[in-house]
């Protein structure tokens, strides 16, 4: 029986149980309440206009797979065939797969190749304020993404990922120094100011207290007494404990305890996703009702009617309520059923301008560059897409595929598409890598046009994205589309990308996945920052209803992707 079959918790079950070579340089406040996070001192790396080469061509350290899934991967103990909650341990590595759909692989290329670029992709971190009043955890009966048992540990998990990247010795295929990290959206979960400050501090360094509302205690669904949610600190026989989830005394207090992030030692660039700019990841921004509800003192934690949940989720999936009218009516009609929580202005939604200005704040500079891709011109033009220099040979282009009018699917409008076409012409003498949150298939408006445009520009090597929470690598005639799993659902991964010239008329893109630095196994007695990061991964593996296909096939993980040199 598969893990998904063993752990699936459908609606009826739930209801029944009730710095080297850095590419730098492209680069008032958001008004967040002090005390939520304290950023560390800016790193010594300077952000300057232009870019430096990754390293002298042809030179690199000895490649090392240490810290990557080419060395080991978290896996269930034994053969993984047990029932209920499964513990994780260090498992067998994922091997590299050579893919030749777009070009043939010649022998001896490993002795000739030189590195053109080497960097890391983060995607779908989903830094979560789990106590936010606007969250719809009660839709867990409809979708596992509405609430996850691991979510309260998202900050500790993200910091552990930063620690992993800081410890990498270089590209595992070439040994070339990693030059930067790029996020591809859904950095936050619910368009919350607190979440945005936590994300920026995770990336740039500093102290974070992942708690809103009452500073002394947790106030949310996990101490609500409702069997629908895992209550780690309680003797309640909730639905998750019925599946084997543990009782962990002190878990909730540990989850809201201060976390310290060293910040990335590499420069980093930011791409925006739908969960960053839209309440709930799908509703139009700027709604005054949602803004007031977010900072208020009432929270809905359960629905009396199964039908209400079905209708709401069906409408969300179909994109039939982009302005959230049905959602507003549900909240207005359930005031008497809401529970009191401590009001908090830090939970307020942020605007596009506030998102941009937050990236420009001095305390979030970290290893640079200032603005992490965004500039004062970005603010003036209300533009969340930009270009940046990756290396002497390669340019990066970051798109904005979000829809301010609401919907979790992506869109690339005519203006941005024309801008992209101009950028591709401008950089046709080198190579281009495109970054966005949404995939081509989840961008029905403009996605096919982007694919067609990239095919007409064979100097584009790859379109790198996220959103689907699944590893998938697809040949697109002249380029590769590389989608990477999230860091909230299992397997929690980031991806190293290395670009090489094989000196035989071909190029290679090496993709190598990495987990966080947390131990593969967990100790239920260890509620330290490191112990919580390990638990974050293990809980995500066991999350009821979670998809067990997100790792993708071997050819979607650690790969060498061949391309003809043009």
């Amino acid at each position: 029986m598969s893990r998904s079959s063993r752990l699936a918790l459908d609606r009826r079950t739930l209801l029944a149980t009730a710095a080297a070579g850095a590419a730098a340089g492209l680069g008032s406040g958001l008004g967040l309440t002090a005390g939520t996070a304290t950023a560390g001192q800016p790193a010594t790396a300077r952000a300057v206009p232009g870019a430096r080469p990754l390293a002298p061509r042809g030179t690199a350290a000895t490649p090392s797979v240490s810290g990557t899934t080419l060395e080991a991967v978290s896996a269930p103990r034994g053969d993984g065939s047990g029932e209920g909650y499964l513990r994780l341990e260090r498992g067998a590595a994922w091997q590299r797969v050579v893919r030749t759909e777009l070009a043939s692989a010649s022998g001896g290329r490993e002795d000739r190749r030189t590195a053109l670029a080497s960097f890391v992709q983060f995607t779908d971190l989903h830094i979560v304020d789990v106590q936010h009043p606007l969250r719809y955890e009660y839709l867990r009966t409809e979708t596992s993404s509405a609430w996850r048992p691991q979510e309260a540990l998202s900050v500790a998990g993200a910091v552990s990922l930063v620690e992993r990247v800081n410890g990498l010795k270089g590209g595992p295929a070439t040994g070339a120094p990693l030059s930067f990290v790029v996020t591809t959206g859904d950095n936050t979960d619910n368009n919350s100011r607190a979440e945005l400050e936590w994300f920026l501090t995770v990336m740039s360094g500093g102290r974070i207290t992942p708690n809103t509302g009452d500073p002394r205690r947790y106030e949310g669904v996990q101490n609500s007494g409702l069997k629908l949610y895992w209550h780690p600190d309680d003797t309640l026989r909730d639905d998750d404990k019925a599946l084997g989830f543990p009782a962990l005394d002190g878990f909730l207090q540990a989850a809201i305890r201060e976390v310290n992030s060293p910040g990335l030692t590499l420069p980093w660039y930011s791409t925006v996703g739908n969960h960053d700019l839209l309440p709930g990841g799908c509703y139009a921004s700027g709604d005054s009702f949602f803004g007031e509800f977010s900072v208020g003192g009432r929270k809905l934690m359960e629905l009396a009617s199964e039908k209400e949940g079905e209708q709401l989720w069906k409408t969300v999936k179909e994109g039939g309520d982009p302005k959230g009218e049905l959602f507003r009516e549900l909240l207005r009609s359930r005031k008497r059923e809401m529970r009191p929580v401590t009001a908090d202005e830090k939970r307020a939604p942020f605007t596009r301008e506030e998102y941009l200005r937050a990236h420009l704040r001095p305390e979030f500079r970290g290893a640079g560059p200032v603005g992490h891709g965004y500039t004062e011109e970005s603010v003036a033009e209300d533009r969340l897409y930009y270009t940046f220099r990756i290396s002497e040979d390669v340019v990066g282009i970051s798109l904005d595929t979000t829809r301010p009018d609401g919907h979790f699917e992506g869109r690339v409008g005519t203006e941005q598409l024309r801008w992209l076409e101009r950028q591709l012409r401008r950089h046709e003498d080198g190579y281009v890598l495109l970054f966005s949150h949404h995939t081509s298939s989840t961008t029905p408006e403009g996605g096919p046009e982007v694919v067609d445009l990239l095919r007409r520009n064979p100097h584009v090597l790859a379109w790198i994205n996220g959103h689907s929470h699944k590893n998938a690598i697809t040949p697109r005639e002249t380029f590769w589309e590389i989608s990477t799993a999230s860091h909230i659902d299992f397997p929690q991964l980031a991806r190293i990308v290395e670009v090489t010239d094989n000196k035989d008329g071909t190029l290679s893109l090496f993709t190598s996945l990495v987990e966080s630095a947390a131990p593969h196994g967990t100790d239920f007695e260890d509620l330290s920052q490191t112990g919580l990061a390990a638990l974050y991964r293990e809980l995500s593996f066991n999350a009821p209803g979670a998809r067990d296909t997100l790792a993708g096939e071997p050819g979607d993980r650690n790969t060498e992707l061949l391309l003809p040199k043009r």
Side-chain angles (χ1 to χ4, degrees), residues 376-396:
E376 289 292 347
E377 289 74 19
S378 303
V379 177
E381 298 172 9
D382 186 28
R383 178 167 52 81
L384 276 71
Y385 46 91
Y386 59 90
T387 63
F388 64 105
R389 175 62 61 177
I390 290 176
S391 70
E392 180 180 349
D393 306 280
V394 185
V395 166

Side-chain angles (χ1 to χ4, degrees), residues 8 77 110 145 147 154 172 196 204 207 230 232 254 261 268 279 292 322 355 364 377 385 389 392 425 436 479 485 547:
R77 291 180 184 174
E110 63 275 6
S145 64
W147 182 77
S154 64
L196 179 56
S204 297
R207 297 181 299 276
W230 176 47
S261 174
W268 62 273
E292 293 169 5
Y355 181 80
F364 297 133
E377 289 74 19
Y385 46 91
R389 175 62 61 177
E392 180 180 349
R425 285 199 303 267
S436 72
F479 69 95
R547 293 177 288 164

Side-chain angles (χ1 to χ4, degrees), residues 476-528:
R476 299 292 186 196
E477 295 184 16
T478 63
F479 69 95
W480 291 93
E481 183 168 1
I482 302 171
S483 303
T484 302
S486 74
H487 204 252
I488 191 160
D489 291 317
F490 189 88
Q492 297 170 335
L493 300 167
R495 196 188 292 267
I496 302 169
V497 178
E498 300 166 82
V499 182
T500 68
D501 182 344
N502 296 324
K503 304 299 183 181
D504 62 359
T506 68
L507 304 173
S508 288
L509 289 94
F510 289 90
T511 73
S512 308
L513 294 164
V514 296
E515 297 181 290
S516 78
H520 293 97
T522 60
D523 177 355
F524 288 161
E525 301 299 317
D526 182 6
L527 297 181
S528 67

Side-chain angles (χ1 to χ4, degrees), residues 43-58:
T44 56
R46 292 183 300 117
V48 295
R52 293 178 293 174
L54 214 138
R57 291 187 187 178

Side-chain angles (χ1 to χ4, degrees), residues 272-394:
V272 69
N274 53 294
H275 275 268
D276 296 314
L277 293 187
L278 306 181
C282 60
Y283 297 122
S285 56
D287 184 276
S288 60
F289 175 84
F290 290 152
E292 293 169 5
F293 194 86
S294 295
V295 302
R298 307 292 290 181
K299 181 174 173 63
L300 184 63
M301 300 188 185
E302 64 178 328
L303 292 178
S305 166
E306 175 184 349
K307 186 175 181 181
E308 279 184 314
E310 287 180 343
Q311 181 183 6
L312 180 60
W313 182 241
K314 181 175 184 291
T315 305
V316 168
K317 285 196 302 182
E318 296 174 352
D321 189 28
K323 296 187 182 301
E325 295 173 354
L326 180 63
F327 190 32
R328 276 197 301 273
E329 286 307 308
L330 172 69
L331 295 176
R332 285 174 174 144
S333 67
R334 291 293 176 267
K335 287 184 178 179
R336 293 183 179 179
E337 300 164 27
M338 292 179 184
R339 302 193 181 196
V341 295
T342 303
D344 195 334
E345 289 293 328
K346 295 192 298 292
R347 294 169 174 156
F350 52 83
T351 65
R352 289 166 58 90
E353 180 179 351
E354 289 170 333
Y355 181 80
L356 289 168
R357 289 199 178 280
H359 282 76
L360 289 160
R361 285 168 57 181
E363 64 265 40
F364 297 133
R365 173 175 173 171
V370 173
H372 306 291
Y374 302 124
T375 64
E376 289 292 347
E377 289 74 19
S378 303
V379 177
E381 298 172 9
D382 186 28
R383 178 167 52 81
L384 276 71
Y385 46 91
Y386 59 90
T387 63
F388 64 105
R389 175 62 61 177
I390 290 176
S391 70
E392 180 180 349
D393 306 280
V394 185

Side-chain angles (χ1 to χ4, degrees), residues 111-170:
D111 299 321
R112 296 186 301 268
R113 66 171 59 109
T114 57
L116 304 181
S118 183
F119 61 91
V120 182
Q121 177 204 11
F122 286 2
T123 195
D124 296 84
L125 290 173
H126 285 275
I127 301 295
V128 188
D129 173 11
V130 292
Q131 301 172 86
H132 198 287
L134 202 60
R135 300 196 72 217
Y136 38 74
E137 296 102 331
Y138 41 83
L139 290 185
R140 187 187 189 197
T141 57
E142 303 298 324
T143 172
S144 62
S145 64
W147 182 77
R148 305 168 174 92
Q150 70 272 18
E151 287 177 336
L153 307 181
S154 64
V155 172
V159 169
S160 186
L161 184 61
V162 166
E163 292 171 339
R164 167 66 74 204
V165 171
N166 286 350
L168 292 173
K169 298 177 181 178

